[in-house]
Amino acid sequence: MSMHKTLRISFSLKNTYRVNSILYSLKQIPLIKKLFPEKLYSVRGCKIFANILSAVWEVISVFLGKFLYFLTMVAGMATLYMDIGLLPQNVFLHIFLFLTVIGAFMNTNLFNPSRDKYYAIILMRMDARSHTLVNYGYALLKLVVGSLPFSLLFGLKNGVPLWLCFLLPFSVAGVKLVVAASSLWDYERRGLVYNENRLGKFLWLAVFLLLGAAYGLPAVGIALPWQFCAAFMVAAIPVGVLGACKIHTFSRYREIYQQLLARSMQQMDSAAELSQKMSQKTISTDTGITSRKKGFEYLNELFIKRHQKILWKSSRRIALICLLIVVGCLLVFYFLPDIREKTNELLMTSLPYFVFIMYAVNRGTGFTKALFMNCDHSLLTYSFYKQPRYILKLFQIRLREIMKINLLPALVIGAGLSILLYCSGGTDDPINYGILFVSILCMSVFFSVHYLVLYYLLQPYNAGTEMKSGTYQIALSATYFVCFFMMRLQMPTPLFGLLCIVFCVLYSVVACFLIYIFAPRTFRLRP
């Protein structure tokens, strides 16, 4: 099969799956779904519309992700170290280099067991080597084309030489090729298939160390010279060419994908069964777990006790990590006193950044998913469970529990920020300590309320534990983007803190009122 034909079939498969997903999502959105006919998939006009959306998204995806990556992860973070005395080009390339290495392991494309690969290689029996080379080459092309405008824009803005800005996307592709080729060599030597979605403990440790080096070293005044970064990135291009030769000559792709996609094959055959099994692994099987409470309080306490691994255990772990970070910052203050003034300025202007951090540490989505998988998906089949007074009673109990779980790391973060503010020089108005502390707690309360309210108002799962709500996914995506762009907001901490407290209180009141009005109708199994 020619490369051109392989590319055409691969793109057709991916586009068909994407178009069907778009049509299904549109059918799930209130108000909009009434505009579409019942037999949506058989209407030619709707398919043309979905194909246009798919094509537009394909073009946007080439550039949007790279723009956000450079804007926030690289250039955006580099601006935080401008006043430390480091050269902008040193900081920019320092962060870019470490993130490139991390991305080479966590975003390979070659070793990602995606659905379209399952369709093409396993079900349609396409030539595995031809399919892999065409799609991997297309992915690298999108990487280079999507990155080039922004490496030039943000690189030149940070003082990186023009020739190096132009080479950076090719260098990233080179690093990815080296890692991919090394994984193929390792498969030939040991027979182990690399899976980017299931990193081992040592790789995760390496990722965290590299991430710490990317952002932690500049915070203490250390950044790799841009000449060293340039030499590394330039050397990655010819070494990447050698890796490309290995990828091109490798002939055992079908063996790799048969192992890599085995989990996906089972998931396709019995998605509900596997989802239940994965969920049950996190549940304690201790038969001695019991409760002296009655009614829904009894049900809730058993649920919390049996889900310690994904609720309180993870919350304690996050709180411990936050505590260690605070202690580490205090040590930096002791050994590098000059950094205190800059930290004090950041704490008094960068509170909006912590909206995204609180979003990231919140356990709301895990809590609601566990609620459905191991409790509600069975109980919602009983009519008594859907009675308004029971729904409202259980909502109150669950809101209390998720708030308690999320408040543990929030307390550490809020108290830690207040301590760091005091130790970095303090503030003329002591009320700022309280605003900083309380605003973090309010952010935690907001996300607790937000995710539980979304779950009750948009209950996204069907009886087979599959997510079937496009509206719910849109709401989650909107939450992410709002929190993401909050990192770009610059506002004095006292003002933003007070606004945050007021907003969180008002949102919580309105959200609970909506639950009282609508939850008895919306909290149900989806068809």
Side-chain angles (χ1 to χ4, degrees):
M1 185 181 292
S2 66
M3 292 292 184
H4 179 268
K5 186 176 181 180
T6 301
L7 178 61
R8 181 172 55 82
I9 295 175
S10 298
F11 182 79
S12 179
L13 278 172
K14 188 181 296 184
N15 188 62
T16 300
Y17 175 73
R18 185 182 294 167
V19 165
N20 289 338
S21 299
I22 290 173
L23 292 174
Y24 179 83
S25 298
L26 292 174
K27 195 64 178 172
Q28 301 302 310
I29 301 174
L31 301 180
I32 294 180
K33 68 180 181 180
K34 296 180 180 179
L35 301 176
F36 294 95
E38 290 297 323
K39 297 181 179 179
L40 184 62
Y41 298 95
S42 62
V43 179
R44 179 175 176 80
C46 293
K47 286 190 173 181
I48 293 174
F49 174 69
N51 271 283
I52 293 173
L53 289 180
S54 177
V56 170
W57 176 247
E58 181 70 14
V59 174
I60 291 176
S61 65
V62 173
F63 298 99
L64 180 60
K66 300 299 178 242
F67 170 71
L68 294 176
Y69 171 74
F70 276 95
L71 179 67
T72 58
M73 301 295 289
V74 185
M77 292 298 295
T79 58
L80 299 177
Y81 309 107
M82 288 180 60
D83 297 333
I84 295 180
L86 299 173
L87 294 175
Q89 59 265 43
N90 286 359
V91 178
F92 180 88
L93 290 173
H94 171 94
I95 295 174
F96 186 83
L97 186 150
F98 282 103
L99 294 187
T100 296
V101 175
I102 293 173
F105 286 96
M106 299 190 69
N107 186 21
T108 65
N109 183 270
L110 192 66
F111 300 100
N112 180 21
S114 59
R115 189 181 297 267
D116 57 290
K117 291 176 183 175
Y118 174 79
Y119 287 147
I121 297 174
I122 304 301
L123 295 184
M124 297 185 64
R125 303 292 296 176
M126 289 179 63
D127 181 72
R129 179 177 176 274
S130 178
H131 179 275
T132 300
L133 295 180
V134 166
N135 283 274
Y136 188 58
Y138 179 64
L140 291 180
L141 178 63
K142 289 199 301 181
L143 167 69
V144 173
V145 172
S147 299
L148 188 56
F150 308 115
S151 66
L152 290 170
L153 174 64
F154 291 103
L156 291 175
K157 188 177 180 181
N158 284 273
V160 179
L162 176 62
W163 63 269
L164 183 56
C165 292
F166 181 80
L167 291 179
L168 287 181
F170 298 93
S171 302
V172 174
V175 175
K176 287 183 178 293
L177 287 166
V178 170
V179 172
S182 301
S183 299
L184 295 179
W185 272 313
D186 188 56
Y187 175 76
E188 290 179 329
R189 186 168 59 92
R190 298 191 298 165
L192 298 178
V193 179
Y194 180 74
N195 185 340
E196 68 175 60
N197 296 333
R198 298 177 62 86
L199 301 183
K201 293 182 179 180
F202 291 107
L203 268 179
W204 272 118
L205 177 61
V207 167
F208 283 120
L209 291 176
L210 289 171
L211 198 61
Y215 297 126
L217 291 179
V220 296
I222 301 173
L224 297 175
W226 75 265
Q227 295 89 343
F228 175 85
C229 298
F232 179 91
M233 301 305 286
V234 170
I237 297 176
V239 179
V241 172
L242 296 177
C245 294
K246 174 62 181 177
I247 292 171
H248 184 266
T249 57
F250 189 77
S251 60
R252 299 166 63 184
Y253 286 110
R254 179 162 292 278
E255 296 177 23
I256 286 181
Y257 283 117
Q258 282 177 335
Q259 296 184 49
L260 192 61
L261 296 169
R263 186 178 299 274
S264 298
M265 292 166 63
Q266 297 169 5
Q267 193 172 23
M268 289 263 190
D269 294 334
S270 53
E273 180 183 348
L274 275 184
S275 180
Q276 290 283 0
K277 287 182 179 179
M278 293 296 293
S279 183
Q280 288 169 1
K281 288 182 179 179
T282 62
I283 305 174
S284 172
T285 57
D286 184 1
T287 57
I289 292 178
T290 185
S291 172
R292 296 183 178 180
K293 296 183 179 181
K294 303 293 182 182
F296 283 123
E297 290 285 0
Y298 171 83
L299 176 65
N300 177 73
E301 187 168 10
L302 288 184
F303 176 83
I304 296 298
K305 287 181 177 180
R306 297 187 67 192
H307 290 78
Q308 292 287 329
K309 289 183 180 179
I310 57 174
L311 297 177
W312 277 107
K313 185 176 180 180
S314 60
S315 181
R316 294 189 188 102
R317 185 180 299 156
I318 293 171
L320 177 60
I321 292 173
C322 294
L323 179 61
L324 293 176
I325 292 174
V326 172
V327 172
C329 290
L330 292 175
L331 291 175
V332 171
F333 288 170
Y334 179 78
F335 291 106
L336 298 171
D338 295 340
I339 205 173
R340 295 178 183 175
E341 182 178 353
K342 174 59 180 176
T343 304
N344 189 277
E345 293 176 4
L346 287 175
L347 289 173
M348 293 303 296
T349 58
S350 300
L351 185 58
Y353 194 91
F354 283 88
V355 174
F356 187 82
I357 293 177
M358 297 309 298
Y359 162 84
V361 303
N362 186 272
R363 304 303 304 156
T365 50
F367 182 77
T368 55
K369 185 176 181 180
L371 280 176
F372 184 83
M373 297 296 181
N374 304 313
C375 184
D376 292 341
H377 94 281
S378 296
L379 291 176
L380 278 172
T381 59
Y382 297 97
S383 58
F384 82 90
Y385 194 69
K386 293 179 281 188
Q387 294 181 25
R389 65 179 184 277
Y390 294 148
I391 289 177
L392 296 175
K393 176 64 176 177
L394 195 54
F395 173 81
Q396 294 170 0
I397 295 171
R398 289 171 168 179
L399 180 58
R400 181 194 68 209
E401 293 300 329
I402 187 60
M403 287 173 61
K404 286 162 56 177
I405 292 169
N406 286 325
L407 278 175
L408 177 59
L411 286 169
V412 176
I413 294 173
L417 290 178
S418 298
I419 293 172
L420 291 177
L421 179 62
Y422 177 79
C423 294
S424 63
T427 174
D428 295 333
D429 190 353
I431 198 172
N432 289 334
Y433 297 111
I435 291 175
L436 196 61
F437 178 73
V438 175
S439 61
I440 293 295
L441 299 187
C442 285
M443 292 179 198
S444 175
V445 171
F446 164 76
F447 286 114
S448 300
V449 173
H450 181 66
Y451 283 114
L452 195 60
V453 166
L454 288 181
Y455 173 62
Y456 269 81
L457 294 182
L458 302 174
Q459 204 298 100
Y461 303 102
N462 63 9
T465 68
E466 298 173 302
M467 184 176 288
K468 292 292 184 178
S469 175
T471 311
Y472 184 78
Q473 293 174 318
I474 290 173
L476 293 184
S477 299
T479 303
Y480 169 80
F481 280 111
V482 170
C483 296
F484 188 83
F485 284 106
M486 276 289 179
M487 293 191 294
R488 306 298 299 173
L489 181 65
Q490 293 292 325
M491 186 180 294
T493 289
L495 176 60
F496 183 81
L498 289 173
L499 292 175
C500 180
I501 294 169
V502 172
F503 172 78
C504 291
V505 171
L506 291 177
Y507 181 89
S508 299
V509 172
V510 172
C512 293
F513 178 75
L514 292 176
I515 289 294
Y516 180 80
I517 298 297
F518 296 108
R521 297 199 300 263
T522 58
F523 191 56
R524 56 182 174 78
L525 288 176
R526 285 190 170 267

